[in-house]
Amino acid sequence: MRLAVTGREGQVAASLVEAARGRDDVEVVAVGRPALDLARPDTVFAALEAARPDIVVSAAAYTAVDQAEDEKDLAFAVNATGAGKVAEAAARLGVPVIHLSTDYVFDGTKDGAYVETDPTAPLGVYGASKLAGEEAVAAANPRHLILRTAWVYSPFGRNFVKTMLRLAADRDEIPVVADQWGNPTSALDIAAAILHAAAKLRDDRNFAAFGVYHLAGTGEINWSGFARHILDTSQALGGPHARILDIATADYPTKARRPANSRLSSAKSAAAFRWTAPDWRESTGAAVGRIVADRSASGR
């Protein structure tokens, strides 16, 4: 089984490539710029056709949440139009598409975890562009899995875990918001889930449960609690540590509004694919261990 994943430099693409390494049953081909550029729709089909995929994983995205408020056209070009073109290309090639979306399609006002049928109401441009992308993907390819996830981190790229470790190397105290809640989700776990779902699509030629699913880490925490766990784990491994100061969202103004509640229920995907993400603490510990070891090896 060959998967073509868009977004060669992204956390999910890097995690998929790593997850497939050394396996005989699956091959992952990461496709990115300049061959495939979602801001240039004319590049999409040729790049994916050349990859000869059995399944397309649409992971590339514009993810600069605050910057998107000033770059609305670019955010929609990548996250909506571009995502739609990827799904359309997969349809032309006769294969399913697995598309990554976000908790930011919700406004965060629900009391409890969001399920797939809850009303969407993005607070900013990024969330609105990703919701438009979901709609474009669904319209372009009926054989679609749209996986909404949240608070993604990994040993790759830029993310909250790596930011906390970097800041802790230079500071004694780090203020972190304590009134936003969600499910920290490892991109390594997302990759494992995608490979599991892809195998289901491969083995079940009559698979009919296409649609929207939530896929997030098991368990919930607020940002400051997440940061505290990251740095306590780092300290136990001989890595950097700092004291976390709880602050309110109002004390840390940003250009784009964030949902106060990003909790996602993954019950539907667990039932459909017989796969559940590990507890977020377990996955966070594994990522922190790798990052601390890499920092130590590089002398940072």
Side-chain angles (χ1 to χ4, degrees):
M1 178 174 60
R2 180 191 287 253
L3 276 63
V5 56
T6 66
R8 185 162 39 209
E9 305 302 321
Q11 296 185 76
V12 172
S15 297
L16 274 170
V17 169
E18 179 177 281
R21 191 172 295 137
R23 290 180 53 167
D24 295 329
D25 61 330
V26 64
E27 179 183 5
V28 173
V29 179
V31 185
R33 293 178 293 185
L36 185 148
D37 185 346
L38 296 191
R40 296 171 52 220
D42 57 299
T43 65
V44 173
F45 180 77
L48 289 177
E49 183 182 36
R52 297 180 293 108
D54 298 303
I55 295 174
V56 170
V57 179
S58 174
Y62 179 109
T63 59
V65 175
D66 290 314
Q67 197 171 328
E69 297 298 310
D70 295 322
E71 296 183 342
K72 180 177 180 179
D73 289 347
L74 180 58
F76 271 82
V78 173
N79 291 343
T81 306
K85 287 295 182 183
V86 170
E88 178 186 305
R92 288 175 61 186
L93 294 169
V95 301
V97 61
I98 300 176
H99 176 70
L100 274 293
S101 191
T102 175
D103 55 303
Y104 276 53
V105 300
F106 299 113
D107 63 10
T109 59
K110 181 178 179 179
D111 183 14
Y114 281 94
V115 297
E116 290 80 356
T117 54
D118 281 326
T120 53
L123 295 175
V125 169
Y126 168 70
S129 69
K130 290 295 289 181
L131 180 58
E134 291 186 10
E135 294 165 351
V137 166
N141 190 338
R143 299 171 69 201
H144 63 268
L145 295 179
I146 294 171
L147 305 180
R148 293 176 181 152
T149 189
W151 294 24
V152 179
Y153 65 90
S154 71
F156 312 112
R158 293 181 294 179
N159 56 71
F160 184 78
V161 171
K162 296 181 80 172
T163 296
M164 288 299 104
L165 293 171
R166 174 176 55 80
L167 292 176
D170 299 320
R171 302 183 188 181
D172 295 325
E173 296 180 340
I174 305 172
V176 182
V177 295
D179 54 0
Q180 295 176 23
W181 288 77
N183 314 99
T185 309
S186 169
L188 297 172
D189 292 337
I190 295 172
I194 288 173
L195 292 179
H196 194 83
K200 173 78 171 174
L201 298 182
R202 176 197 61 197
D203 297 339
D204 184 358
R205 296 295 181 181
N206 297 315
F207 183 82
F210 290 103
V212 178
Y213 292 86
H214 291 172
L215 177 68
T218 299
E220 60 188 49
I221 191 65
N222 58 14
W223 280 115
S224 63
F226 186 25
R228 204 166 278 117
H229 182 76
I230 292 165
L231 297 186
D232 287 350
T233 303
S234 171
Q235 184 179 45
L237 296 171
H241 185 265
R243 186 164 54 257
I244 298 298
L245 303 179
D246 290 0
I247 63 171
T249 296
D251 297 326
Y252 188 74
T254 56
K255 182 164 289 190
R257 294 170 61 200
R258 268 75 170 169
N261 174 26
S262 284
R263 291 173 289 181
L264 301 177
S265 168
S266 299
K268 179 183 174 182
S269 61
F273 301 108
R274 300 291 188 267
W275 189 92
T276 302
D279 184 89
W280 70 267
R281 297 168 188 83
E282 177 185 341
S283 295
T284 301
V288 171
R290 286 184 55 172
I291 297 166
V292 168
D294 288 345
R295 288 175 60 92
S296 177
S298 64
R300 290 179 287 150

